[in-house]
Amino acid sequence: MRYGECRWPEIEQLDKDRVLVVVPIASLEQHGHHLPLLTDTFLATAVAERVHARLQDRVLLTPTLWLGASDHHLDFPGTISVSNTLYVEMIKQVTRSLVRAGFRRIFFLNGHGGNIAPGETAITEMANDYDTCDDVLIALGSYWTIAASAMKAERHGMTQPQLSHACEYETSLMLALHGQLVKLDLAHGHTHRHAAPPGVRLAGRFHRMTASGALDTPEFATPEKGESLLAAITEEVTHAMQQMLDWPRSHVLKPSAETARANS
Amino acid sequence: MRYGECRWPEIEQLDKDRVLVVVPIASLEQHGHHLPLLTDTFLATAVAERVHARLQDRVLLTPTLWLGASDHHLDFPGTISVSNTLYVEMIKQVTRSLVRAGFRRIFFLNGHGGNIAPGETAITEMANDYDTCDDVLIALGSYWTIAASAMKAERHGMTQPQLSHACEYETSLMLALHGQLVKLDLAHGHTHRHAAPPGVRLAGRFHRMTASGALDTPEFATPEKGESLLAAITEEVTHAMQQMLDWPRSHVLKPSAETARANS
Amino acid sequence: MRYGECRWPEIEQLDKDRVLVVVPIASLEQHGHHLPLLTDTFLATAVAERVHARLQDRVLLTPTLWLGASDHHLDFPGTISVSNTLYVEMIKQVTRSLVRAGFRRIFFLNGHGGNIAPGETAITEMANDYDTCDDVLIALGSYWTIAASAMKAERHGMTQPQLSHACEYETSLMLALHGQLVKLDLAHGHTHRHAAPPGVRLAGRFHRMTASGALDTPEFATPEKGESLLAAITEEVTHAMQQMLDWPRSHVLKPSAETARANS
Amino acid sequence: MRYGECRWPEIEQLDKDRVLVVVPIASLEQHGHHLPLLTDTFLATAVAERVHARLQDRVLLTPTLWLGASDHHLDFPGTISVSNTLYVEMIKQVTRSLVRAGFRRIFFLNGHGGNIAPGETAITEMANDYDTCDDVLIALGSYWTIAASAMKAERHGMTQPQLSHACEYETSLMLALHGQLVKLDLAHGHTHRHAAPPGVRLAGRFHRMTASGALDTPEFATPEKGESLLAAITEEVTHAMQQMLDWPRSHVLKPSAETARANS
Amino acid sequence: MRYGECRWPEIEQLDKDRVLVVVPIASLEQHGHHLPLLTDTFLATAVAERVHARLQDRVLLTPTLWLGASDHHLDFPGTISVSNTLYVEMIKQVTRSLVRAGFRRIFFLNGHGGNIAPGETAITEMANDYDTCDDVLIALGSYWTIAASAMKAERHGMTQPQLSHACEYETSLMLALHGQLVKLDLAHGHTHRHAAPPGVRLAGRFHRMTASGALDTPEFATPEKGESLLAAITEEVTHAMQQMLDWPRSHVLKPSAETARANS
Amino acid sequence: MRYGECRWPEIEQLDKDRVLVVVPIASLEQHGHHLPLLTDTFLATAVAERVHARLQDRVLLTPTLWLGASDHHLDFPGTISVSNTLYVEMIKQVTRSLVRAGFRRIFFLNGHGGNIAPGETAITEMANDYDTCDDVLIALGSYWTIAASAMKAERHGMTQPQLSHACEYETSLMLALHGQLVKLDLAHGHTHRHAAPPGVRLAGRFHRMTASGALDTPEFATPEKGESLLAAITEEVTHAMQQMLDWPRSHVLKPSAETARANS
């Protein structure tokens, strides 16, 4: 079901616990010399559409929220973005709207790395702050983390080890989906990255990592690699959505009875 | 030009003063028993697309921002919305992104009444707070205020005097554009409105104005009225966009020289 | 009744639905070479006082809130102002205080254009966010929008078509009320305005519209025009306040019973 | 000089370092059974007016900001207030406006206890955050702290040791200034206070300290005591304002030269 | 009891009204050429530890919150601080956590002057905004205000009249507690202060008051003075904490019955 | 070097690019029936102290910030926490303070899972928003992500596969460090967790995952396992800090020259 094509009485009558609302979230940001600004939005939407096609009667698919947290790309002209802290509030209020409508299973399907930290900050704050959200299943996952094992480089003939930005993965996916918008002859990573220690997150703007705006080896992208990736991603994300639908109700466990014993 | 299909070097090389960025803003909110939740987004997008088709080399059209300020509709399940104050920040940060990219003419083309007050609050605050915005032309207009004179009821055979919500106007436009999503047999205003005094704005949620979520006389909508309206709107909005493109640069006028005389 | 002269037990015993709280809101901002900074406050207060004199037992008049949203005038020294977003919060908290005291009918009588967008943003957010405000009548109107038809230029011999800023209208009103504070010989619009397309709101600071801070033709102001305007405004605003007092209670209309039919 | 009666060119031409802007800040809040809601505003304004009368050519007196931080009185109906944190922002933005206009000496003359903590929070934050405020003299004082020694109980025949709320001091001052608004026969402290340890600030709403809203012994107030207090307060506050006008410019002292020695 | 060494079932089983939670709050900020950045934290912690040692079964001592509101010291490198307005929120949320755990008596024991205004702003806002806090005893006191009379200069042979910053008092206390961290030979006030009028608070950064970062006469500090001060402070603060523990429950007093009489 | 024991002139004279500021961040939150509330703070501090001991002349160690983002634990009494969004602001302002002091390498060494999302949100926002932070190395890592490979269960004889909360890992570490504060006989996971799909983050409070507040198998903890873990963690975190110290300066790479070619 497409959320936006429903009328409100239809929403009202749904068995809210039986359906999963999927909100694709992405960005409008620079993607190197060779990919369009909406790349993340095209990709997240394509994945969401394919998952929706498979789980049509259980998934309510909203339009993709293209306005994302991409301030680390603002040095490249064209990026339209909100700050991390504003993005936190946006995701909180979208969540609130869905909880108020009675939904019990909500999934933010992410297509942009910059949305992860503020998005997770938002959904945990909703669960923590509002008792109305405490027993609602609210989740966020990026297609490349959900499908990490199925996207391994060797399974798709990729040169670079994993998805980064405007890279061989994203370029291949765009070639498969919107080839006419890709200028493959201009694809160049221009990357001068220094690896962060494992397990460490470095703050930083993209203009210090790449001259073109792209990372790694987009020049080796092909539409075939893109098709292969898309099939793998669709499979994994569909599977994750099914798990969300099967997730049992959770209950409050903390007993007071047990306390006496614990303190004796 | 479609903003999101551009690559960043294309954005960088544009003559920023020669082009107008058009950002359609709308909503995902209840539209009565008979219209889909995305109605405002469908309409604002349709108008924007038609204007874009006419001014293709001067207008940069972004994707429609469907997440709007519709909290007054939240009592009807399905609405996804942000509060007024959060919407102010969203519009401010979109503006900031465009100004940072160097654009000099920005237009928020609005398709949802609830966006007007926070949207105007936002753009004037940008101009007031940031010297970088002081000489940028930033504007906001709703298609029905821009085209007010061309949308007069008698010119299109309308029963109700002017556009309201999920009404004869919106329903006619939807019939012309997405007829398969309209349940005309369920269209009913169910309105129990009491007129506010002229020139007065009343706060209030929609569940106190209508039982169905629609206002006025949607049942009299026809696709022909919709086509007629759409043509008139397109004409007027195109004309307004041209005026935005022709608007001369404004300069700071306040002279200090004059002060002495003024105070003598 | 003057709100501020009441003691709290008097407030407690009022029939809250029978009275209208009128909160005049205005500004302290530049008004050209010829008018004092408090002009908007003088005018809003004068209108409010005259309305109060006529509806004394039904209207509770608070002091005028002179601190307004005038950041677009800050380039002219003297203006004391808060940003739009802060003004939203101020109006929200004033509203909250009055609702907590039990009042059911609240009117912000506005005398400054810059307050409109943030003021409307505020009162609708209160109604949307707080169930305690949902059934309270909260309204905002500017004296020149309420009295628009009665203030038509030809009815008062005005040279300019409508009220703007430090203009023939405001100057005439000030001449009628506080003539000793007006330097009519210094009145000059110094305006270099370019008309916005109809229905479009342009962001912008006043130092790009006028060199003196005034708009249009203040030099043609007379005290007689001011008296004539003041009488017309008083009449219309009084009438609007009476309508606020007569406004029937609104009820929640959205039926659940109807939903089944709507969805079948 | 009355700030609000000036025109902007007059403000522009002032020698900003030679004048002191005095902003009276007060409240609209419950003052027991016997005093009107605007009591603090009446008193702060009266003091400010008397000081202004004495220092007319050096003091620029703004209108009194009657909207204060009185949420601890909201349990008594009638109080119109903003929260502490909003009040901080209001005072910050008033300060900013005055600094932007070029003023170098700013004094918030306070008439309401609840404004002290947020007001001090605000002015120190302005000085800390904005280099434009670093060398501006920004100060806040309450008339009863400035005049503490001159207001000692024994000098004015007071029964209670010091000013509190709706008490013998405030009631006496009101009797001297606006006797017709005082219902002395209803004056009663109804106080059940327990003394806080010295040097400790307790949070708390007034409905836990008094049944009437008044503290201490208002029933012993007389107009003569009020006149005596007013004369003493006027003297002391005038003296403090003169000191503000004489305060020498402060300079940045932290030397880098000295550091080497300090670290050796 | 040390709060942080408890396990949650122990916290749950406490008689919350019988214990006082003491939260020492301090700073990490410049303290002149001769004292370490953590001076305030060392001192507040030392006082809190001594009080805890005396009231062990009634006081729950949390770790010291060393991150304070010291932006007025940021011009001296090394200071780690939050703004006043952020500090307000921190204290509010600590309070909220303790109230949610069921505590009824909470004391913020302060060791840094800059924390006072925002700390008081915070605790009064909690009491005002949340009914859950209305009947909880929430207090804030600085060790030098609580012990003001016992810290009088003549009782401890001090050269300067009262505690200021990195001064003879703080230096003496540090010599008594952490002498190895004090460079007494570098102690110099370098002060160029101008006295504010009595009862007036001036905003201002420390780099305009002192070249070294210290005030007054630290060079006269001795460990003996420090021991003497510490004993006096411990005595007074212990006494204040006992008063907090003995403070009777407060009740809502505002009667409605009385209102009728009040208004007749 | 201990940051807090330095005096400001020492901080001023440091070669800021040659040293790494390490800020341990942790929590005060429930840790099951058997571990104290300060567990995360004890552990993060212990790791930081050991790393400091090895890199003493290159690392500046601040005190541990024990106030963390633990609202998901508030249902268990005792937790003292700030919300995610407030934690974002705290980390931003600590970062700002350090950048203002001139530091070029800043590391938040984390010991609490709930701090990760808001902490990463904060440091990226600082880098994005402030040009002063753009070329500063700002990083955040949790000891268990940095040492992930060295903490593998089989290397330390652990029953559970990886660190969770109040679990075999944390309990073993506490037994090694503060055995007297551990009630091992009360250790029980009481866990009723359902695994989230891989790559998906679920929002949720701990009272829905565990009855005791602990997860997994704390009952199998031993001090020997703790010693073994601590040695491995110290090794890995020390190595990561060295990498931070060796990290080369990054430069802005985005060329404008290249753009022409890219767009041709």
Side-chain angles (χ1 to χ4, degrees), chain B residues 25-39:
Chain B
I25 55 177
S27 77
L28 189 159
E29 75 189 16
Q30 73 84 13
H31 269 77
H33 291 168
H34 66 294
L35 290 179
L37 297 166
L38 269 181
T39 292

Side-chain angles (χ1 to χ4, degrees), chain B residues 141-160:
Chain B
S142 305
Y143 69 78
W144 63 90
T145 59
I146 299 171
S149 64
M151 287 175 75
K152 282 202 176 122
E154 59 273 21
R155 289 181 52 171
H156 308 279
M158 310 306 284
T159 308
Q160 70 181 60

Side-chain angles (χ1 to χ4, degrees), chain B residues 11-76:
Chain B
I11 298 289
E12 191 174 57
Q13 293 199 335
L14 284 169
D15 177 348
K16 301 298 191 306
D17 195 31
R18 222 195 139 262
V19 295
L20 177 70
V21 180
V22 173
V23 184
I25 55 177
S27 77
L28 189 159
E29 75 189 16
Q30 73 84 13
H31 269 77
H33 291 168
H34 66 294
L35 290 179
L37 297 166
L38 269 181
T39 292
D40 286 349
T41 298
F42 286 131
L43 300 187
T45 305
V47 171
E49 288 286 346
R50 274 155 184 76
V51 172
H52 176 251
R54 295 201 186 184
L55 298 169
Q56 206 148 250
D57 58 333
R58 302 292 299 281
V59 156
L60 263 177
L61 180 63
T62 76
T64 302
L65 188 56
W66 59 265
L67 182 61
S70 307
D71 280 8
H72 45 308
H73 290 289
L74 277 173
D75 297 299
F76 296 83

Side-chain angles (χ1 to χ4, degrees), chain A residues 59-129:
Chain A
V59 156
L60 264 177
L61 181 63
T62 76
T64 301
L65 188 56
W66 59 264
L67 183 61
S70 307
D71 280 8
H72 46 307
H73 290 288
L74 278 174
D75 297 299
F76 296 83
T79 303
I80 302 179
S81 166
V82 297
S83 70
N84 278 356
T85 41
L86 186 53
Y87 197 68
V88 170
E89 299 307 319
M90 284 169 55
I91 296 300
K92 281 170 64 181
Q93 295 207 358
V94 169
T95 302
R96 166 208 65 146
S97 300
L98 293 168
V99 170
R100 176 140 171 202
F103 290 105
R104 315 293 292 165
R105 298 172 189 271
I106 300 167
F107 197 95
F108 290 95
L109 179 56
N110 181 43
H112 165 54
N115 294 343
I116 299 175
E120 291 186 0
T121 298
I123 62 169
T124 56
E125 184 150 311
M126 290 306 293
N128 296 343
D129 277 15

Side-chain angles (χ1 to χ4, degrees), chain D residues 75 84-85 120-121 124-125 127 131 134 138 140 145 186 190 199 201 203 205 207-208 250 253-254 258 262, chain E residues 75 84-85 120-121 124-125 127 131 134 138 140 145 186 190 199 201 203 205 207-208 250 253-254 258 262:
Chain D
D75 297 298
N84 278 357
T85 42
E120 290 185 0
T121 297
T124 57
E125 184 150 310
D131 287 344
D134 181 22
I138 309 171
L140 184 151
T145 60
L186 296 175
H190 293 266
R201 168 69 162 269
R205 304 186 188 173
H207 70 161
R208 289 181 183 274
S250 72
L253 299 169
K254 182 175 70 76
E258 208 170 9
Chain E
D75 297 299
N84 279 356
T85 42
E120 290 185 0
T121 299
T124 55
E125 184 150 311
D131 288 344
D134 181 20
I138 309 171
L140 184 151
T145 59
L186 296 175
H190 294 265
R201 168 69 162 267
R205 303 185 188 175
H207 71 160
R208 289 181 183 273
S250 73
L253 299 168
K254 182 174 70 76
E258 206 169 11

